[in-house]
């Protein structure tokens, strides 16, 4: 409620409160009240690519900036915690995955250091709750893609010590110990039929450390291997439902039920290609032309002696994604609803993929400022305030707390 009253107070003086800039008459006072009473947690944003490649400042107030995350947008959307993605492009970082991961980790710390009044690094459930009390954004980190540990369990522990609190076992590339859904049908890639023995060791060490095991991106067999070996609940940090949108990145109903049984949570990805079947098909049809355009422009930059970054490729991708109509917000809500029905309302949350989808988010969701629209839509579908708060962040907090508990138990058992 404190947010609510302080914003009323802002409105009475002459400044425009941040969320009024995006105020939407479609948000009822009841939805706003529920939304602002929740600890809202998003488990996947690619903004660190911008911090590092563009020198993007999260304090930016540039009205023309099309990014999904800024501190003003965070405040307007009452986003309480963001897991910033430490994603290392395996193509452009051959030979130095870990070092690039370190640079991205540094970029998150630097943002927090520049904005100590509005943002803090967070490493635990208690930190997220403290940030919420202090009206700051809790900044957490997840490594996207197990290749970044360079097959070294020592490095995995070092990343934990630096604050990394989840790791997506694979990105779109199969690494040396976990198969990915991204290249599972590519005969040129050496696969392992899921997780290798070392991969199982990685999962158990993550359990022991208290690092959440993330199954987004992994191949189906890898998923079931993880379910069989993990001692703690798992997360899918940014995945949607395959029954609604037939993409291998999404989770089948059987997988959703397995996550429920494991006590974990599936955090719905907002990317149009994962939440809307029409969009997915249009995007697939466009792929050859789009990929050729991206490659041509990257080759051009390389020929001119320039270092090519994620941001360069993203610029071209955006021109192409803009050619396909955005699906309605309903498509995203359908996925939340489906997972809540199949796995249960205790096993679904939000994993936007903000700043990682070249602007391809559903209509009405242009940044973190629009998160209250999800609350309104869930309220309209008859979800209770308590269930909405679980979806917005409560479920993730429960899973994170369980992961912390299992870690304490495993460490205590190891000392005996
Ligand atoms: Zn991803």
């Amino acid at each position: 409620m404190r947010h609510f009253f302080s914003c009323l107070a802002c409105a009475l003086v002459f400044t425009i409160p941040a969320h009024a800039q995006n105020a939407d008459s479609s948000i009822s006072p009841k939805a706003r009240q529920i939304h602002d009473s929740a600890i809202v947690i998003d488990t996947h944003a690619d903004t660190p690519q911008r911090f590092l490649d563009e020198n993007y400042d999260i304090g930016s107030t540039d009205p023309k900036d099309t990014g999904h995350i800024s501190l003003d947008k965070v405040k307007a959307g009452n986003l309480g915690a963001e897991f910033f993605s430490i994603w290392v492009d395996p193509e452009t970082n051959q030979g130095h995955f870990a070092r690039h991961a370190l640079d991205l980790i540094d970029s998150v710390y630097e943002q927090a250091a520049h904005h100590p009044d509005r943002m803090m690094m967070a490493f635990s459930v208690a930190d997220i709750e403290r940030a919420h009390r202090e009206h700051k954004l809790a900044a957490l980190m997840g490594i996207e893609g197990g290749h970044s540990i360079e097959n070294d369990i020592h490095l995995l522990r070092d990343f934990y010590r630096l604050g990394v609190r989840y790791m997506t076992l694979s990105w779109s590339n199969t690494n040396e110990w976990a198969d990915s859904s991204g290249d599972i049908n590519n005969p040129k890639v050496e696969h392992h039929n899921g997780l290798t023995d070392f991969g199982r060791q990685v999962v158990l060490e993550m359990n022991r450390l208290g690092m959440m095991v993330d199954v987004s991106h992994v191949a189906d067999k890898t998923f079931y291997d993880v379910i069989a070996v993990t001692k703690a609940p798992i997360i899918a940090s940014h995945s949607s439902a395959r029954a609604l949108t037939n993409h291998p990145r999404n989770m089948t109903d059987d997988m959703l039920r397995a996550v429920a049984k494991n006590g974990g949570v599936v955090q719905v990805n907002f990317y149009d290609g994962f939440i809307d079947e029409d969009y997915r098909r249009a995007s697939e049809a466009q792929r050859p032309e789009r990929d050729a355009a991206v490659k041509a422009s990257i080759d051009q930059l390389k020929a001119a002696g320039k270092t090519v970054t994620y941001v360069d490729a993203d610029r071209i991708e955006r021109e192409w994604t803009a050619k396909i109509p955005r699906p309605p917000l309903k498509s995203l809500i359908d996925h939340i609803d489906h997972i809540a029905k199949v796995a249960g309302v205790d096993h679904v949350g939000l994993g936007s993929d903000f700043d990682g989808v070249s602007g391809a988010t559903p209509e009405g969701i242009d940044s973190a400022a629009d998160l209250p629209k999800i609350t309104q839509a869930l309220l309209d579908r008859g979800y209770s305030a308590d269930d909405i708060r679980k979806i917005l962040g409560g479920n993730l907090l429960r899973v994170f707390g369980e992961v912390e508990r299992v870690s304490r138990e495993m460490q205590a058992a190891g000392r005996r």
Side-chain angles (χ1 to χ4, degrees):
M1 286 303 281
R2 281 190 59 194
H3 277 297
F4 184 62
F5 286 121
S6 64
C7 283
L8 262 186
C10 310
L12 292 173
V13 290
F14 302 102
T15 53
I16 301 167
H19 79 242
Q21 293 164 14
N22 300 284
D24 192 319
S25 53
S26 64
I27 311 292
S28 67
K30 185 177 179 197
R32 189 79 228 181
Q33 191 276 327
I34 293 169
H35 192 83
D36 286 348
S37 68
I39 299 186
V40 182
I41 303 176
D42 175 39
T43 45
H44 200 90
D46 279 300
T47 326
Q49 306 293 328
R50 301 194 68 198
F51 298 154
L52 195 60
D53 293 347
E54 280 182 68
N55 283 320
Y56 172 68
D57 179 347
I58 199 168
S60 168
T61 54
D62 177 0
K64 288 202 222 48
D65 188 85
T66 54
H68 289 141
I69 304 264
S70 72
L71 289 172
D72 282 354
K73 290 167 183 172
V74 159
K75 188 159 191 62
N78 189 37
L79 179 58
E82 180 62 68
F83 282 78
F84 288 104
S85 174
I86 306 301
W87 172 72
V88 173
D89 186 340
E91 289 292 319
T92 55
N93 293 285
Q94 281 290 340
H96 54 263
F97 297 152
R99 187 226 144 122
H100 194 71
L102 291 174
D103 290 351
L104 288 163
I105 289 169
D106 170 71
S107 79
V108 179
Y109 274 87
E110 285 295 290
Q111 293 293 327
H114 287 144
H115 302 284
D117 49 334
R118 292 193 286 166
M119 176 176 175
M120 60 177 259
M121 296 305 296
F123 312 102
S124 62
V125 170
D127 285 349
I128 292 174
E129 289 169 344
R130 182 161 69 88
H132 178 72
R133 285 195 299 274
E134 295 178 8
H135 305 290
K136 290 177 186 171
L137 173 67
L140 297 100
M141 296 175 293
I143 286 184
E144 181 172 28
H147 56 283
S148 284
I149 65 166
E150 300 184 355
N151 306 316
D152 185 348
I153 211 94
H154 310 91
L155 263 181
L156 173 70
R157 288 197 283 268
D158 287 331
F159 283 130
Y160 178 86
R161 293 179 188 112
L162 282 170
V164 172
R165 288 299 178 266
Y166 78 67
M167 181 165 76
T168 324
L169 300 182
S170 78
W171 180 61
S172 302
N173 59 313
T174 287
N175 54 49
E176 286 165 75
W177 47 270
D179 287 348
S180 168
S181 65
D183 59 14
I184 195 68
N185 296 317
N186 183 346
K188 289 185 204 144
V189 174
E190 192 194 325
H191 291 111
H192 322 288
N193 190 30
L195 278 181
T196 65
D197 286 344
F198 178 73
R200 289 186 178 84
Q201 209 187 313
V202 168
V203 169
L204 288 172
E205 185 62 3
M206 289 171 74
N207 290 161
R208 197 187 67 86
L209 290 167
M211 191 188 282
M212 290 183 280
V213 177
D214 177 16
V215 295
S216 286
H217 282 282
V218 304
D220 291 6
K221 179 61 166 61
T222 308
F223 168 84
Y224 288 106
D225 285 356
V226 171
I227 285 286
V229 72
T230 185
K231 293 185 185 302
I234 61 167
I235 64 167
S237 69
H238 59 311
S239 291
S240 304
R242 210 182 295 175
L244 301 188
T245 308
N246 187 21
H247 195 290
R249 267 285 279 105
N250 285 343
M251 322 251 313
T252 65
D253 286 359
D254 188 62
M255 292 160 98
L256 296 176
R257 283 186 284 265
V259 171
K261 203 171 157 212
N262 155 276
V265 63
V266 175
Q267 306 277 100
V268 174
N269 192 312
F270 298 6
Y271 170 54
D272 293 337
F274 296 159
I275 57 162
D276 189 271
E277 186 62 16
D278 291 340
Y279 187 99
R280 185 190 70 79
R281 287 185 191 174
S283 177
E284 270 307 305
Q286 190 201 56
R287 182 196 291 276
E289 258 189 300
R290 185 179 64 229
D291 287 356
V294 171
K295 188 178 176 306
S297 126
I298 285 175
D299 288 349
Q300 217 175 3
L301 286 168
K302 276 188 188 157
K306 295 195 176 113
T307 320
V308 182
T309 66
Y310 167 81
V311 174
D312 296 316
D314 183 62
R315 201 172 304 124
I316 319 294
E317 291 265 1
R318 274 173 190 274
E319 289 169 19
W320 285 84
T321 55
K323 294 179 190 187
I324 309 174
R326 293 166 79 181
L329 177 59
K330 177 186 177 300
S331 296
L332 171 63
I333 306 304
D334 285 348
H335 278 260
I336 297 174
D337 200 31
H338 180 83
I339 296 171
K341 287 200 168 90
V342 174
V345 77
D346 291 337
H347 305 285
V348 58
L350 308 178
S352 66
D353 220 345
F354 276 151
D355 287 328
V357 296
S358 305
T361 46
E363 261 174 31
I365 305 291
D366 295 317
S367 78
D370 294 315
L371 291 170
K373 292 177 185 173
I374 294 174
T375 296
Q376 180 70 58
L378 290 171
L379 193 59
D380 292 346
R381 287 203 192 191
Y383 280 80
S384 70
D386 282 348
D387 284 349
I388 292 171
R389 279 188 288 261
K390 284 180 184 178
I391 294 167
L392 292 175
N395 289 334
L396 191 281
L397 274 188
R398 181 199 75 236
V399 170
F400 195 4
E402 274 298 294
V403 167
E404 290 176 342
R405 186 184 62 75
V406 170
S407 160
R408 281 193 301 271
E409 281 178 11
M410 288 175 79
Q411 294 189 22
R415 281 193 294 270
R416 266 176 224 138

